[in-house]
Amino acid sequence: MEKFAKLIIDGQEIALPVIEGSEGEMAIDIRELRQQSGYITFDPGYGNTGSCRSSITYMDGEKGILRYRGIPIEQLAESSTFVETAFLLITGKLPTREELTRTSVSLNDFSPIHENMKAFYQNYPPKAHPMGILSAMINAMRSFYPELIDREEELNKTYLRIISKIRTMAAMAYKISIGQKVIYPRPDLCYCSNFLNMMFDSVVVRYHIDDELVRALNVFWILHADHEQNCSTTAVRVVGSGKVNIYSTISAGISALWGPLHGGANQAVIHMLERIERDGMSVEKCIARAKDKDDDFRLMGFGHRVYKTYDPRAKIMKDMCDIVLKKVKVKDPLLDIARRLEEAALTDPYFREKHLYPNVDFYSGIVLRAMGIPTKMFTVMFAIGRLPGWIAQWKEYWNDPEMKISRPRQVYTGNTLNEYVPIDQRKEEVSIC
Ligand code: CMC
């Protein structure tokens, strides 16, 4: 039976349909609200706004649940690979062996990038942030690979092309930034091994591909592969809603991810831990500063809009720290600081009351550091991982008959009708500069 929510405004009763999701999530459909009442809803940051129906990722922030296409993140991290998870997210099902092989072959076929694109990298200022470069390069792909045909088969090729080339572009950006010869992708290597090889092999020292580190990278990327309607995915959906091409849409997602409150948090966490170590700041002092409203210091890698308990990705990432550090035989002092910070925050009333727990970024930087990934590449690593999610969400949006161009409303709070005053009649105090 169809359910309705009743809203009474100015004595007028309005019945609004209720939508129920497959996991019992309830929503009030307000699409007709303005037409019926003249009112709009107000929700800065969209914390209570459902922007779409989606069958890709399910999260329960209270219980700490994350599932891709119904499969728990813990199972995927335990048994899947990044390529298989990408297939799952984009197509909606796990691949057969043959489909997986075909996907891997295509990813290898698409991995080289147009030689002319190298010129872009070479002309960037040496200190340019790789996220800015990556966003520009993905946007540039529209010009280098203009053959976007609407047929599904062609679109599938485009998805694979982006997933494959983003990894080559990221490694190439790194090599050029450190003045080393670019290492090209190898057709005999799988997705993650190829990336590590392109990053760390050189003409001087051959890189030894270690299976455990390859596994760790698979897990890292699986954990980042999608997270429903987060900031960058919303950017992808909003930008894509104007029917812009997929390359420009993904480029917008990369830009949105860059910020320290979102994907840039993994880099910000390491900077924070390094600062604590360098300045000899005590854990107590950090916690006190994070709680002080007059201090702009925040505990980076803590808190989440949706999770009000431990982020399930952070649990897996924390365990990975031990595995990877043991493998590379490194003792990272930042891990010790991170652990002590976590312990102090989890028992502190401020963090408990506000339900602030470690998120995926709290331990991910330590894992990446141990693998040899430079700090300024951390958010690029997140972007490579999030790409299948952006593609899946873009595809879902593109095929959704309910979707319209994104165009929220506002509550205007500026001047009411005002008059233009000629410049020689303006009083000094009305200056706007
Ligand atoms: N340290 C100290 N206080 C915090 C923190 C933190 N990390 N996070 C939230 N708070 C406080 C905040 O000051 C606010 O207090 P009050 O209610 O007194 O004003 C309260 O908790 C609610 O925070 P909010 O900023 O209103 O919550 P939000 O849902 O808008 O923001 C967040 C979520 C992730 C942006 C925020 O928790 C934050 O800035 N965390 C640090 C950055 C970070 O780790 N980002 C990565 C998120 S996970 C990766 C991803 O998916 O993007």
Side-chain angles (χ1 to χ4, degrees):
M1 202 183 68
E2 211 179 339
K3 271 194 194 166
F4 287 90
K6 278 187 188 160
L7 180 69
I8 300 168
I9 309 175
D10 300 333
Q12 186 200 353
E13 191 175 286
I14 297 160
L16 298 164
V18 166
I19 301 173
E20 187 171 353
S22 54
E23 288 283 351
E25 216 164 11
M26 309 300 281
I28 299 169
D29 181 349
I30 54 138
R31 278 176 291 183
E32 301 296 322
L33 179 64
R34 190 171 172 278
Q35 263 160 287
Q36 288 190 32
S37 66
Y39 281 73
I40 58 167
T41 54
F42 185 64
D43 185 20
Y46 313 125
N48 289 289
T49 298
S51 62
C52 59
R53 296 178 211 245
S54 181
S55 60
I56 302 169
T57 290
Y58 173 66
M59 283 172 78
D60 181 326
E62 271 70 36
K63 295 192 186 131
I65 293 174
L66 174 62
R67 298 179 197 144
Y68 299 158
R69 302 285 187 185
I71 305 178
I73 192 68
E74 293 79 7
Q75 288 182 21
L76 292 166
E78 177 72 31
S79 311
S80 185
T81 61
F82 176 59
V83 171
E84 187 184 51
T85 298
F87 188 102
L88 169 73
L89 284 167
I90 295 169
T91 67
K93 68 173 202 74
L94 286 168
T96 61
R97 194 173 293 280
E98 198 197 321
E99 285 169 329
L100 189 58
T101 306
R102 249 189 288 132
T103 302
S104 302
V105 169
S106 299
L107 286 172
N108 272 341
D109 290 349
F110 283 128
S111 57
I113 66 166
H114 199 293
E115 274 297 301
N116 290 353
M117 290 186 102
K118 262 167 88 177
F120 279 79
Y121 292 106
Q122 278 147 350
N123 290 311
Y124 260 95
K127 288 202 171 135
H129 196 285
M131 282 297 274
I133 301 175
L134 192 68
S135 161
M137 296 298 283
I138 296 287
N139 205 5
M141 280 181 76
R142 174 70 180 98
S143 309
F144 283 92
Y145 307 98
E147 56 279 21
L148 278 171
I149 303 163
D150 277 350
R151 286 202 337 263
E152 196 171 337
E153 192 190 326
E154 291 299 325
L155 270 173
N156 285 339
K157 273 194 207 160
T158 303
Y159 306 149
L160 292 171
R161 181 181 282 132
I162 308 176
I163 293 175
S164 181
K165 290 192 195 308
I166 196 173
R167 163 195 63 165
T168 314
M169 286 175 181
M172 191 177 263
Y174 171 61
K175 282 295 195 193
I176 292 175
S177 77
I178 56 169
Q180 278 190 13
K181 193 172 175 296
V182 165
I183 302 293
Y184 287 89
R186 271 173 40 189
D188 58 315
L189 295 179
C190 69
Y191 193 88
C192 294
S193 318
N194 233 329
F195 176 75
L196 290 173
N197 193 59
M198 283 191 276
M199 283 288 289
F200 302 121
D201 195 39
S202 78
V203 281
V204 187
V205 186
R206 284 269 85 90
Y207 180 67
H208 166 71
I209 298 168
D210 180 278
D211 287 347
E212 271 185 82
L213 291 188
V214 171
R215 180 69 216 144
L217 185 55
N218 268 293
V219 175
F220 178 89
W221 277 336
I222 289 169
L223 296 182
H224 287 84
D226 195 48
H227 216 217
E228 51 117 300
Q229 308 314 315
N230 56 85
C231 174
S232 56
T233 301
T234 299
V236 163
R237 282 189 178 253
V238 170
V239 172
S241 79
K243 295 287 174 201
V244 71
N245 69 80
I246 188 165
Y247 298 115
S248 306
T249 306
I250 300 293
S251 162
I254 294 171
S255 300
L257 187 75
W258 191 355
L261 296 190
H262 189 17
N266 56 12
Q267 185 173 344
V269 170
I270 290 295
H271 287 319
M272 175 187 78
L273 296 173
E274 282 172 344
R275 220 173 83 200
I276 295 171
E277 190 195 26
R278 194 186 53 234
D279 300 351
M281 214 197 300
S282 71
V283 162
E284 294 70 33
K285 176 91 193 277
C286 296
I287 298 291
R289 285 192 62 186
K291 294 192 294 189
D292 182 356
K293 293 281 168 232
D294 297 326
D295 190 330
D296 61 4
F297 181 88
R298 271 200 167 195
L299 204 51
M300 300 311 286
F302 256 75
H304 198 274
R305 171 64 61 79
V306 180
Y307 293 123
K308 298 303 161 206
T309 182
Y310 216 101
D311 178 339
R313 305 167 300 170
K315 273 191 196 145
I316 302 169
M317 200 66 88
K318 189 177 177 185
D319 292 344
M320 265 182 57
C321 278
D322 294 323
I323 298 169
V324 174
L325 287 173
K326 197 167 152 212
K327 177 74 219 173
V328 297
K329 299 190 177 67
V330 165
K331 193 172 170 340
D332 190 339
L334 299 193
L335 177 60
D336 187 45
I337 297 173
R339 282 202 183 114
R340 284 190 286 124
L341 267 179
E342 180 191 336
E343 209 179 294
L346 292 183
T347 49
D348 187 279
Y350 172 96
F351 285 85
R352 288 169 74 98
E353 274 156 29
K354 294 186 188 301
H355 306 288
L356 301 170
Y357 291 86
N359 59 51
V360 70
D361 293 316
F362 194 64
Y363 287 107
S364 68
I366 293 170
V367 169
L368 292 176
R369 244 161 81 101
M371 290 169 115
I373 309 284
T375 312
K376 72 176 192 173
M377 287 288 288
F378 285 6
T379 314
V380 167
M381 298 298 287
F382 192 152
I384 300 174
R386 183 54 53 87
L387 183 56
W390 288 332
I391 292 173
Q393 302 269 355
W394 181 88
K395 186 180 163 194
E396 187 176 70
Y397 187 96
W398 206 257
N399 295 318
D400 184 348
E402 269 188 332
M403 293 322 293
K404 294 175 161 203
I405 187 163
S406 294
R407 205 308 182 183
R409 294 229 170 216
Q410 62 169 15
V411 176
Y412 175 69
T413 58
N415 288 337
T416 52
L417 185 61
N418 205 357
E419 297 232 339
Y420 178 80
V421 180
I423 195 157
D424 52 1
Q425 292 172 25
R426 286 176 212 162
K427 294 185 195 131
E428 277 302 313
E429 62 271 23
V430 296
S431 166
I432 54 164
C433 302

